[in-house]
Amino acid sequence: MPVFEVHGKQYEVDEDGFLENPEIWNEDVARDFATTEGVEGLTDGHWKVINYLRSYYLQYGIAPMIRKLCKETGFKLNEIYDMFPSGPAKGACKLAGLPKPTGCV
Amino acid sequence: MADNGKPKTELLDQLETGPWPSFVTEIKKAREGSPVCDDLLGQLELSYQEKKGHWKHGGIVGVLGYGGGVIGRYSDIPEQFPNVAHFHTIRVNQPSGWFYTSDAIRTLCDIWERHGSGLTNMHGSTGDIIFLGTRTNELEPTFKELTEAGFDLGGSGSSMRTPSCCLGQARCEWACYDSMKLCYDLTMAYQDELHRPPFPYKFKIKCAACPNDCVASIARADLSIIGTWKDDIQQDDAAVAAYAAGGLNIQKDVCDRCPTRCMDWDGATLTINNRECVRCMHCINAMPKALAPGKERGATILIGSKAPIVQGALLSSVLIPFIPADELLETVKELIGRVWEFWDEYGKNRERIGELIQRVGMANFLDAIGLDPAPEMISAPRDNPYVFFQTKSESNGN
Ligand code: HEM
Ligand code: HEM
Ligand code: SF4
Ligand code: SF4
């Protein structure tokens, strides 16, 4: 099991760096993982996306479709990439502590 | 890093014995200087022995700014095969019609030998240049070198996939429109949709400049743009006579194979009832010097084909029977906009546009994107009992 070390803390992650135990998520986790995804400082916009992903995941057990994410947060897809340069699936979901979104290529 | 050296590949070796080119042979050739190849063969041999795949399902890796273009892959036995612990695939946008200078190909291969396994697939079924196998930390450096050399990543995941086209007017006299230009223009018009997956699922566009459909767009593209003509087949009677004199059996090999039997050969003159011609290209392929597509050229737009993954295979259905060549780009863009809007609104996760159309019905789909039904949309008269006229169009007809 790979371990991600940051600020003296250790997180168990999968090979793509997603949190292995989504239950242990808290806001510090988002701040800690921001460093791996090219995110410089978390703004209100970042939190809006993270909190939406988080609550959707807690309710449905999966990540929402992109269209829904944009609609519900009011951000255009480009704006989400501006905030999370590695994209909604790899970047935003990782900071929100969701398990790796699955699916085929 | 541990090196396993040359693996025993008794089962894989059998794959080299057939009459066809073999990927095993090619990978073995690439061994020198690439320790990845030995582990790749070793792991595959093991899979054949155990009848069990050893690639983990999916991975999410990429380059900053893009949501697609890299397909993550990991071995599930990395201790045993450390050189393929990561084996990510990079899709690189191919040039229209797959034209390269040898310099460009060398540049691509050099980049890939520096940063990956050196193994390529020229080209993948979507059309992209496929770079097979690298590690996560090599992704950004590869991307940097690619963009410096003028290349960009292709699409993957729920994005518009890299559009592809036949070589069209560059080399082919049958081209009814400039497929290479249309493919390029569409690629540039939808850079966002290509690099930042916005859809319920993948969306493929393929441009073939005549009904021979050398890119098999009718079977593999959500949107197929296939060249065709509206007027009569161009016919050179002297050349027809020359074919006959040269031994071509025009009755048996041309007329009898016309799907609509709309050709007549009386031993001296060939008569085509162009009204009944379905533009299948057979007669033109058989007598290229005598027959050619008409002069009023353009394309048919079809929608909905896909290979069988979630549901069964589908072929594309006609959406717009004919668009003149010079109006193609504008019309296709307008159409794509409407189709995407509908799909975005009603498509379920991982539902291709063709499946959505099946679910809601072609009539409702046409209504939603604002197109009128046309007879060309069905392959044979009255073979679909589920198409109804809208009340609206009935009353308009009176
Ligand atoms: C219990 C009696 C009948 C049943 C269950 C029946 C059933 C059907 C069905 C399921 C179709 C296919 C519909 C379609 O593809 O759209 C059909 C077509 C047809 N039936 Fe019948 N049918 C019956 C009696 C008749 C009779 C008595 C006639 C003529 C006198 C007839 C003439 C036709 C014709 C001409 C078609 C082709 C229609 C077309 O091409 O659109 N049927 N029938
Ligand atoms: C409980 C009774 C019946 C059931 C459940 C049934 C069901 C079906 C189904 C599912 C189809 C295929 C439709 C499709 O193409 O998707 C079909 C086709 C057809 N049925 Fe029936 N059917 C029944 C009775 C009958 C009877 C009694 C007749 C004729 C006397 C009949 C004549 C036909 C014909 C001609 C077709 C072919 C339609 C075509 O080619 O489009 N059916 N039926
Ligand atoms: S699809 Fe038609 S125009 Fe394009 S290369 Fe093939 S034969 Fe030529
Ligand atoms: S193109 Fe096909 S349908 Fe048309 S006349 Fe030739 S063989 Fe017949």
Side-chain angles (χ1 to χ4, degrees), chain B residues 172-193:
Chain B
C172 189
E173 67 198 84
W174 292 326
C176 294
Y177 73 94
D178 190 343
S179 51
M180 289 177 57
K181 180 165 193 318
L182 184 68
C183 180
Y184 178 81
D185 289 344
L186 291 173
T187 306
M188 297 314 281
Y190 300 115
Q191 283 289 301
D192 272 350
E193 287 79 359

Side-chain angles (χ1 to χ4, degrees), chain B residues 58-101:
Chain B
I60 294 199
V61 286
V63 298
L64 289 186
Y66 284 16
V70 185
I71 297 136
R73 171 169 293 174
Y74 299 95
S75 166
D76 70 358
I77 37 176
E79 307 77 24
Q80 201 172 342
F81 298 105
N83 291 312
V84 293
H86 298 201
F87 201 73
H88 309 320
T89 297
I90 300 183
R91 290 209 173 114
V92 181
N93 197 146
Q94 80 285 5
S96 266
W98 299 289
F99 281 97
Y100 302 88
T101 58

